[in-house]
Amino acid sequence: MTSHIVLFGPPAAGKGTQAKRIAAEGSLTPTSTGDMLRAAVAEDTPLGQRAAGIMQAGNLVDDATIMGIIGDHLASGGAPEGALFDGFPRTVAQAEGLDALLGKRGEKVSAVVNIIVPDEILLSRVESRIAETPEAERRADDSPEALKVRLVAYHEQTVPVLEYYRAQDKVLDIDGTQTIEAVTASILAALA
Ligand code: AMP
């Protein structure tokens, strides 16, 4: 049975970095709704035009839109041997939607990797990322103001997703304050 893994954690926890590193060790496809939305914004599609302002402010794009993107991606064979989801699901409605979608395909989420990083460390990470990245390459939402909105959305709308998966006994807790290499090693050990 194809099974999928969710990388869970606050903004700037290192989910994207870890998704690429973990995917390189196996056959899962890194699947980031944030990357898909940024591509839509860059291509100026109707979806991108709708999402740009919401993303820049740090708010969440609506569940129906996100489920449409993920449904299309899986249906078109975007993750043939399973997805390593990064930044999805971000609401309980998305988690329920994903279970329903995968259930119809005879697939499931097998584990949820919870990367734990305290808020004050996230803020200092974003500040150093801003200092180190030329303006043209910066993400539109890489600002202390947008991070604060993203953190509120995370605590209010996304943390309940963890409880949803804890009830299914799927959550693996990882200390995300370690070095990048040590976080990868901890995740691989927990998944083994
Ligand atoms: P990320 O790259 O995962 O930090 O996502 C960047 C932005 O895209 C978020 O702040 C949201 O505005 C939007 N976004 C990405 N994934 C989702 C999702 N699963 N649900 C709602 N909004 C999302």
Side-chain angles (χ1 to χ4, degrees):
M1 181 206 268
T2 302
S3 58
H4 307 263
I5 290 175
V6 173
L7 278 187
F8 187 93
K15 297 187 298 292
T17 302
Q18 295 300 332
K20 292 188 191 79
R21 294 173 60 88
I22 301 297
E25 299 290 323
S27 56
L28 298 177
T29 306
T31 304
S32 157
T33 41
D35 282 352
M36 294 175 191
L37 290 167
R38 277 184 289 278
V41 172
E43 288 160 23
D44 203 26
T45 66
L47 164 66
Q49 290 172 6
R50 237 174 38 243
I54 300 171
M55 293 172 71
Q56 182 156 3
N59 291 310
L60 294 187
V61 173
D62 68 281
D63 292 331
T65 297
I66 298 293
M67 291 316 301
I69 296 175
I70 288 290
D72 289 350
H73 184 73
L74 294 180
S76 65
E81 302 196 41
L84 185 53
F85 292 113
D86 151 17
F88 170 83
R90 258 182 163 91
T91 63
V92 172
Q94 290 177 20
E96 289 169 348
L98 180 61
D99 275 351
L101 187 69
L102 295 181
K104 281 190 209 132
R105 296 166 57 91
E107 302 175 1
K108 62 170 184 167
V109 169
S110 58
V112 177
V113 174
N114 177 30
I115 304 177
I116 302 169
V117 182
D119 286 5
E120 55 280 12
I121 295 183
L122 301 170
L123 188 59
S124 66
R125 281 188 188 178
V126 166
E127 282 166 349
S128 39
R129 196 149 79 188
I130 293 167
E132 287 160 14
T133 313
E135 198 168 343
E137 291 164 29
R138 249 178 247 159
R139 277 173 52 164
D141 60 357
D142 248 353
S143 68
E145 297 72 33
L147 178 71
K148 279 175 198 145
V149 179
R150 289 161 74 200
L151 278 174
V152 171
Y154 172 73
H155 288 292
E156 289 181 357
Q157 292 167 273
T158 306
V159 169
V161 172
L162 207 51
E163 304 316 316
Y164 176 84
Y165 286 122
R166 281 205 200 280
Q168 298 183 11
D169 214 14
K170 288 182 178 165
V171 179
L172 305 166
D173 290 313
I174 301 293
D175 174 5
T177 65
Q178 309 172 87
T179 62
I180 289 173
E181 293 76 15
V183 172
T184 306
S186 301
I187 294 173
L188 291 173
L191 290 173

